[in-house]
Amino acid sequence: MLKYYCVSLMLLILVACGGATTEEMVKDPTRVVYTKYCMSCHGPDGKLMSSGAKDLSISILTEAEVEHRIRKGSNNKVMMAYEGILKDEQIKSLTQYVLKLRK
Ligand code: HEC
């Protein structure tokens, strides 16, 4: 009896702790990357403008310019270059993610 209690308790803890984030990672891995690397300055919706960051929801940069900015960082070096830190495909999907923040 106690054994079953322990097993179900363990399952519960697993679901409570890991469930949401694991599900989120599978559904939208780019959002997880954005949350980890970009949200501190740009916020969840791109509008935070912390540390002098630009509001991404009203940005007028082209797709190529957004990608370039992510690769090379900002001119004033507040935003670092993510080339070499993120994989090429991550930078590309982040670019799409950033563009979608406008709608
Ligand atoms: C340390 C804070 C910081 C982090 C972290 C950061 N940024 Fe920025 N970002 C800035 C600042 C500051 C600017 C504006 C700099 C400028 O005008 O030269 C900026 C500008 C941008 C721009 C250009 C917007 C425009 O219209 O000019 C894009 C796109 C962008 N960031 C995307 C990202 C993405 C994607 C990430 C995560 C990989 C990220 N940023 C992480 C601070 C940050």
Side-chain angles (χ1 to χ4, degrees):
M1 192 59 194
L2 187 67
K3 198 168 106 192
Y4 290 116
Y5 177 72
C6 286
V7 169
S8 53
L9 190 71
M10 256 167 60
L11 272 175
L12 235 162
I13 291 170
L14 266 175
V15 169
C17 300
T21 39
T22 315
E23 197 188 326
E24 197 179 71
M25 278 168 79
V26 172
K27 263 201 273 183
D28 195 351
T30 312
R31 189 170 146 208
V32 178
V33 175
Y34 179 87
T35 304
K36 186 170 173 197
Y37 293 97
C38 321
M39 200 155 84
S40 57
C41 294
H42 291 286
D45 51 6
K47 296 180 184 168
L48 185 65
M49 301 198 281
S50 170
S51 309
K54 289 267 170 75
D55 184 342
L56 298 178
S57 73
I58 55 164
S59 170
I60 50 161
L61 298 187
T62 64
E63 181 176 343
E65 286 167 336
V66 169
E67 189 177 328
H68 182 84
R69 189 52 62 91
I70 299 170
R71 282 187 196 286
K72 303 292 179 192
S74 63
N75 298 330
N76 58 12
K77 299 287 171 216
V78 174
M79 179 179 156
M80 63 186 291
Y82 288 93
E83 202 173 45
I85 293 171
L86 297 172
K87 287 188 221 126
D88 213 53
E89 70 220 46
Q90 287 179 311
I91 291 177
K92 286 204 162 32
S93 58
L94 260 182
T95 304
Q96 296 307 317
Y97 190 90
V98 165
L99 292 173
K100 269 197 243 153
L101 291 174
R102 293 178 194 182
K103 281 163 217 151

